[in-house]
Amino acid sequence: MADLSSLKLNAPVNRLRGSLPKLGIRPTIDGRYGGVRESLEGFTMALAEAARDLIQKNLRHSCGLPIEVVIADTCIGGASEAAKCEEKFAHEGVGVSVTVTPCWCYGSETMDMNPLRPKAIWGFNGTDRPGAVYLAATLSGHAQKGLPCFGIYGRDVQDLGDASIPADVAEKILRFTKSGLAVASMKGKSYMAMGGVSMGIAGSIVDHQFFETYLGMRVETIDMVEFIGRMQKGIFDQEEFARALAWAKLNCTEGKDWNPTPRSREQKDQDWETSVKMAIIARDLMIGNPKLAEMGFTEQSEGHDAIAGGFQGQRQWTDHFPNGDFMEAILCTSFDWNGIRQPYMVATENDSLNGASMLLGHLLTGTAQMFSDVRTYWSAKSIQRVTGKAENPVLHLINSGPSPLDFTGAMKNDQGRPTIKPWWDIKAEDAGACLDDTLWCASDLGYFPGGGWSTDFTTKGRMPITMYRINLVRGLGPALQIAEGFALNLDSEVHKALDERTSPTWPTTWFEPRCDGNDGAFKDAYSVMSHWGANHGAISHGHIGADLITLSSMLRIPVDMHNVPFDQVYRPAVWHRFGAGLEPIGADFRACSNYGPLYG
């Protein structure tokens, strides 16, 4: 049983440099004094405050801290007040804006003109004053000026003075805000490439232009020899290492050694020491560690302000040293020897595109994200042939790398069903159950001659999950693909037979994508597999495809395949002018091509 005493919930903290982005609310109003403006001031501000309360009640930053909301000092009736609001937003660090109004206002005089800030307008659906007219007029202005903006308009008419927020309006405000804050949170941060290209995998050919122009991030690169140097010179917290190693020995249960000629006990013990050091060093490289400055290593203490990263590993590292599986898995998990804390986004094989994808999912949900090979499509016929038992077709997601322990599915929701929680909702019992459901198998020495450890568990079904990935295409740029579905429980004998045909030391997730039987990428599970753009996928708990679509439109990354219901797709209003009502996928590509990368 896991030691629950070490699994206390840490207080939320912003572990990166700078302040977290804030949400700005812009209450706009008819600027005519003499009875018109005065009659609307109170209600306009009430709408702004209602939007603030909705957001602060329902959303957090992925680090767990509350979202700060800045409301303009006055209602905005013209260009002067718009300028005052912009000055305040710049001073406060506002990264996302929502304009709210119950009435007609002067569109181009009051609109948010910041080209890098995701923006939306909520036009109140009422008959007393034409809020919908302002919404339409100003969205038209945004389109004409090349500033994509999201429109929010309730389906049902409300009475003037009713500041309640209908469910459909609330859904759009929250979806927009989650996605906009994800965009703002990435800006100015780093992707930490620990090593270079792994085994010719294209995703680990880190494309600086993609990170800079689409995500607003820089790429920081170190050679993996930095790990050796820090281990040899003792550039890590010695006290933490001793505590972490003791924790691992107590809580990380060793599984079966499948190697014909196993490594000795002495070698395995050394592998544990090296693996724990690697995890501490990788974290320090990403976010820094003030303890190193106390030890005299001031430069190393700073880290690289990395919001995500990746470790090359194979083969230049793993042919000689223990693999990075423990490091990747434990960092991507929502807890370790320091307690329950925000997971890190670390991609195996330095697949930066999968790492960037994992980052999007985490910023939207606050949960751990899984990295996996999209390894095998098992047809019903093939399963029957191999096992003699009947099962539906399924995709086998399996990889030695960062399958966080959260993906055991050992946590339970209020109904007692397997789930994965935002890290701030995890309790010691949840984390302990994940540890108890995980075995650590000695690495397959055919893959990893240098030794090491791999997580071994099977994800419990039936959990809703979303598989997604950004791919790069020359001449096109990035494109995102999304497949919502469910983690499955297979018959235990079927699982054993299929699992042992591949790498039984690695974690397995059986994935059933949601398919419609129509021609295309979601005709069946085989079609999903054949349309997938790379050997890897990022996986999130829950059906987050609609949020990913909204987020990708802000970044100007088109979506080439998804199975999200049409009525949940929410993009800037101007996408309709590109034909979204007739040909939504083509319109998305045309719009993204027209506007280009957000920071391009």
Side-chain angles (χ1 to χ4, degrees), residues 272-294:
W272 274 118
E273 293 186 19
T274 302
S275 296
V276 171
K277 289 177 185 176
M278 289 171 65
I280 293 172
I281 290 169
R283 182 205 63 201
D284 291 352
L285 282 164
M286 291 180 70
I287 67 167
N289 187 345
K291 178 69 174 180
L292 300 183
E294 297 175 16

Side-chain angles (χ1 to χ4, degrees), residues 6 53 254 434 441 468 471 478 572 587:
S6 63
D53 295 346
E254 291 185 18
C434 293
C441 295
Y468 58 102
N471 297 296

Side-chain angles (χ1 to χ4, degrees), residues 177-221:
T177 301
K178 275 192 291 186
S179 301
L181 286 172
V183 171
S185 297
M186 290 185 284
K187 186 180 179 183
K189 305 308 177 188
S190 302
Y191 175 85
M192 177 80 257
M194 295 174 274
V197 180
S198 173
M199 301 182 296
I201 294 172
S204 62
I205 304 172
V206 183
D207 190 303
H208 289 227
Q209 185 178 16
F210 163 70
F211 278 94
E212 292 166 8
T213 62
Y214 282 91
L215 306 184
M217 294 171 57
R218 72 172 73 232
V219 174
E220 295 281 283
T221 303

Side-chain angles (χ1 to χ4, degrees), residues 375-376 396 398 444 447 497-504 506 508:
R375 177 159 291 218
T376 309
H396 193 178
I398 179 172
D444 183 330
Y447 281 105
L498 303 188
D499 196 48
E500 291 185 5
R501 288 175 65 94
T502 176
S503 301
W506 297 349
T508 279

